[in-house]
């Protein structure tokens, strides 16, 4: 073998060795919990139950990094499946048999205001469901949640308009709680539960009131935020026990949208926004395991 061939083989061998070292370094990378949670939400959002085997691998990885967080995300995945597959919707008013005390709170999810700050018809329909439910359960609190979404008037908020409408239509203002910062459903959950935790410690049972296509997402996010808030898995302060829906003529929120909202709840807003705006490249992740 001449010198040229020997040098070429040496170069190729060195290159292959460097590639192997790089691969091994990647395999041994100490991934943080945010990366693992991102994959958990995205895999289930994109593939549903087909991703169960891959999800289990990621959950095991999370267990090793943070056992308590791993337990919480196992509970969230279980809640996610229940919310989308087993949830019974109740139309127009909350069902019978819910708590008659002030441990119970109904949460009315907002809807984007018109540019001038007036309420759209869909939000008014949700409020009519809320009014009927508040009259049926006169001891329950009512959280109105939604921030400043009027393009031409940032001084008004969804929650503020909602609270005004309820009190003008006969609901005692002392029962109405205003959360007027949130701009997403994930923020609805985070900010509303923060207010309840700080100022209304007796509240433990929740019901979601919204349009029918929005109920499952609200149920999931308020339940997931309660799980994440708890000091330990299984010690959640809040339980979403029911719902009341307005039957919307159209509307849909996908499992991938829910994945973005859960990612936002986990604290990763940058990735959440990529998912919301369909900018997340699912193909950048390894394919799911069969």
């Amino acid at each position: 073998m001449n010198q040229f061939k020997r040098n070429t083989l040496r170069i190729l061998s060195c290159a292959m060795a460097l590639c192997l070292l790089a691969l091994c370094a990647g395999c041994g990378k100490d991934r943080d919990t945010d990366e693992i949670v991102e994959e958990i939400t995205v895999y289930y959002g994109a593939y549903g139950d087909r991703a169960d085997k891959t999800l289990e691998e990621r959950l095991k990885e999370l267990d090793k990094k943070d056992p308590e967080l791993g337990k919480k995300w196992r509970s969230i995945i279980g809640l996610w499946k229940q919310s989308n597959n087993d949830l019974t919707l109740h139309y127009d008013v909350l069902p019978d048999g819910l708590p008659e005390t002030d441990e119970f709170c109904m949460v009315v999810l907002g809807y984007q205001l018109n540019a001038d700050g007036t309420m759209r018809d869909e939000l008014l329909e949700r409020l009519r469901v809320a009014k009927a439910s508040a009259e049926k359960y006169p001891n329950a609190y009512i959280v109105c949640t939604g921030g400043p979404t009027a393009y031409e008037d940032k001084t008004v908020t969804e929650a503020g308009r909602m609270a005004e409408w309820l009190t003008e239509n006969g609901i005692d203002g002392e029962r109405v709680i205003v959360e007027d910062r949130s701009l997403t459903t994930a923020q609805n959950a985070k900010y509303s539960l923060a207010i309840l935790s700080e100022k209304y410690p007796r509240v433990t049972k929740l019901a979601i009131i919204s349009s029918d296509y929005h109920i499952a997402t609200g149920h999931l996010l308020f339940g997931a935020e309660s799980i994440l808030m708890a000091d330990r898995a299984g010690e959640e302060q809040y339980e979403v026990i029911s719902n009341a829906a307005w039957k919307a003529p159209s509307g849909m929120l996908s499992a991938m949208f829910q994945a973005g909202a859960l990612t936002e709840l986990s604290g990763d807003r940058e990735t959440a926004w990529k998912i919301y705006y369909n900018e997340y490249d699912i193909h950048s992740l390894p394919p799911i395991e069969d």
Side-chain angles (χ1 to χ4, degrees):
M1 185 181 296
N2 62 36
Q3 186 65 35
F4 174 77
K5 288 183 178 180
R6 280 196 294 272
N7 290 340
T8 302
L9 284 172
R10 269 195 211 98
I11 292 170
L12 289 172
S13 297
C14 289
M16 290 178 66
L18 288 171
C19 287
L20 287 171
L21 284 170
L23 285 172
C24 289
C27 291
K29 181 184 176 185
D30 186 21
R31 293 167 15 115
D32 62 31
T33 56
D34 286 347
E35 291 177 274
I36 303 168
V37 167
E38 174 189 331
E39 292 189 9
I40 288 170
T41 62
V42 170
Y43 275 123
Y44 191 74
Y47 300 110
D49 291 341
R50 290 170 51 209
D52 277 353
K53 186 174 180 181
T54 301
L55 283 180
E56 183 58 28
E57 291 302 314
R58 297 305 186 275
L59 287 166
K60 287 179 179 176
E61 185 180 357
L62 189 57
D63 288 339
K64 292 178 181 177
K65 293 287 296 182
D66 186 332
E68 194 58 43
L69 190 59
K71 290 177 185 177
K72 290 182 177 184
W73 276 97
R74 286 180 186 278
S75 296
I76 290 170
I77 292 298
L79 176 65
W80 198 351
K81 294 186 178 189
Q82 179 208 354
S83 298
N84 286 344
N85 300 323
D86 302 321
L87 198 64
T88 299
L89 296 186
H90 303 280
Y91 284 94
D92 302 324
V93 68
L94 286 171
D96 297 340
L98 301 179
E100 301 281 354
T101 67
D102 62 359
E103 71 175 325
F104 181 47
C105 179
M106 52 196 78
V107 179
V108 193
L109 300 179
Y111 190 85
Q112 184 167 10
L113 298 171
N114 289 311
D116 63 358
T118 56
M119 290 188 290
R120 297 174 189 258
D121 289 344
E122 182 155 347
L123 185 50
L124 289 168
E125 295 294 348
R126 295 181 186 185
L127 286 170
R128 292 185 182 104
V129 175
K131 177 177 180 289
S133 299
E135 290 170 345
K136 185 172 182 175
Y137 292 97
N139 295 316
Y141 287 108
I142 307 105
V143 170
C144 298
T145 175
T149 57
Y151 295 131
E152 295 173 0
D153 188 351
K154 293 300 182 183
T155 65
V156 298
T157 65
E158 295 170 14
R161 288 287 192 239
M162 294 157 72
E164 288 172 4
W165 188 94
L166 286 171
T167 55
E168 288 169 2
N169 283 273
I171 303 302
D172 183 354
E174 291 189 2
R175 300 172 59 193
V176 180
I177 301 165
V178 174
E179 183 292 294
D180 57 6
R181 297 168 53 204
S182 57
L183 296 175
T184 66
T185 311
Q187 290 176 2
N188 290 158
K190 184 175 286 290
Y191 298 154
S192 295
L193 293 189
I195 291 172
L196 291 177
S197 178
E198 179 183 354
K199 298 182 178 179
Y200 301 88
R202 276 186 51 79
V203 171
T204 58
K205 310 293 184 185
L206 307 176
I208 304 299
I209 296 177
S210 191
S211 305
D212 51 1
Y213 65 84
H214 199 204
I215 293 289
T217 298
H219 182 273
L220 168 63
L221 296 180
F222 275 78
E225 176 62 10
S226 184
I227 291 169
L228 293 172
M229 286 173 64
D231 292 331
R232 297 182 63 82
E235 297 180 358
E236 295 81 35
Q237 181 175 352
Y238 304 101
E239 180 185 6
V240 183
I241 60 171
S242 194
N243 64 76
W246 173 63
K247 189 173 182 60
S250 63
M252 184 185 73
L253 292 176
S254 68
M256 197 61 183
F257 175 90
Q258 293 171 338
L262 287 172
T263 303
E264 185 181 355
L265 278 187
S266 77
D268 186 355
R269 295 189 66 189
E270 181 179 353
T271 301
W273 253 251
K274 288 180 181 178
I275 296 172
Y276 289 147
Y277 291 103
N278 296 317
E279 295 173 355
Y280 189 95
D281 181 12
I282 186 67
H283 303 294
S284 65
L285 300 180
I288 58 174
E289 299 177 42
D290 295 324

